[in-house]
Amino acid sequence: MSGMEIASYLMVVVYVISFLAMSAILAKEAGRPVWLFGKGGEKQALPALLFKLAFAGAVIWPLLLAAFGNPVADDPLHAALDGPWYDVLGHLLVVLGACVALLSQRYMGTSWRIGAAEGEQGAIVDSGPFAISRNPVFVGQAVLFIGLFIVLPSLIQAGLTFALLVAIRLQVAIEERVLAASLGQPYLAYRARVRRWLGVIRQLPA
């Protein structure tokens, strides 16, 4: 692995550790558990599994790649995207994604949750990064994984990135239903004002 590839991998490890540590801190501040997978009426087993697979793979796969090499002979993605400029671009995306995700997680404060369950949601956070995205943590994680794929292009890393993107899409759909049912009109107004991923919805004059 090159120096840039090692730096990107270490950034991912730092992000995962920081995510878990901050979740514990926010749970203590809120005085309640923040892990809601498995609670409520919505089935979240599949996105929870995909999240675990993606993040575990992002930590373990680069180590296996460095130790044993790519098991896929003549991996077409590695041949197409390997190079120093791709490493620089990917590393910048990894750092940007990690920072966006962590800052957004901290900004949620005591409203931070992992998963969704009716009656377990905190107050709506609609300022800061949440004024331009309803899901900035997920946006940051997606950017991080896309960056890691560019730094370490392979079919396996592509599969891990795809697993994360599918998990995000499934979980967002679940959370939107839970938030609408739990928080009602305030959330519906927020949803009408801010886009799911990025941007503010322009309201046409009456």
Side-chain angles (χ1 to χ4, degrees):
M1 293 175 68
S2 69
M4 194 67 73
E5 290 170 344
I6 294 172
S8 297
Y9 169 71
L10 292 177
M11 188 70 222
V12 172
V13 173
V14 168
Y15 170 73
V16 172
I17 294 172
S18 300
F19 172 87
L20 296 174
M22 192 175 299
S23 294
I25 292 170
L26 295 176
K28 185 176 181 180
E29 290 180 0
R32 62 191 304 175
V34 298
W35 185 269
L36 300 182
F37 283 127
K39 294 185 177 182
E42 293 279 358
K43 295 181 179 180
Q44 303 172 77
L46 179 56
L49 176 63
L50 291 174
F51 277 122
K52 291 176 183 177
L53 173 65
F55 278 103
V59 172
I60 296 172
W61 163 242
L63 294 178
L64 297 177
L65 185 64
F68 304 107
N70 193 339
V72 180
D74 300 321
D75 192 316
L77 294 180
H78 182 269
L81 297 175
D82 188 40
W85 289 110
Y86 285 114
D87 286 352
V88 171
L89 173 61
H91 181 68
L92 290 176
L93 292 177
V94 168
V95 173
L96 175 64
C99 290
V100 168
L102 286 173
L103 289 174
S104 300
Q105 181 185 359
R106 186 66 186 94
Y107 200 88
M108 284 196 73
T110 56
S111 290
W112 171 250
R113 302 288 188 275
I114 302 174
E118 298 83 353
E120 297 283 347
Q121 304 306 304
I124 295 174
V125 179
D126 58 2
S127 58
F130 293 88
I132 57 173
S133 172
R134 301 203 306 268
N135 300 282
V137 175
F138 286 148
V139 170
Q141 291 175 347
V143 171
L144 183 153
F145 266 74
I146 291 170
L148 186 61
F149 165 68
I150 294 173
V151 173
L152 297 172
S154 69
L155 290 171
I156 292 177
Q157 188 61 51
L160 295 173
T161 302
F162 180 72
L164 178 90
L165 296 178
V166 171
I168 288 174
R169 185 62 187 86
L170 293 174
Q171 189 60 31
V172 164
I174 292 170
E175 291 186 3
E176 287 181 348
R177 291 194 296 268
V178 172
L179 288 167
S182 298
L183 302 178
Q185 186 57 39
Y187 173 73
L188 296 178
Y190 172 60
R191 191 172 69 181
R193 188 172 69 252
V194 178
R195 294 188 183 278
R196 175 181 289 156
W197 306 119
L198 190 64
V200 177
I201 299 173
R202 293 183 178 180
Q203 300 291 340
L204 296 176

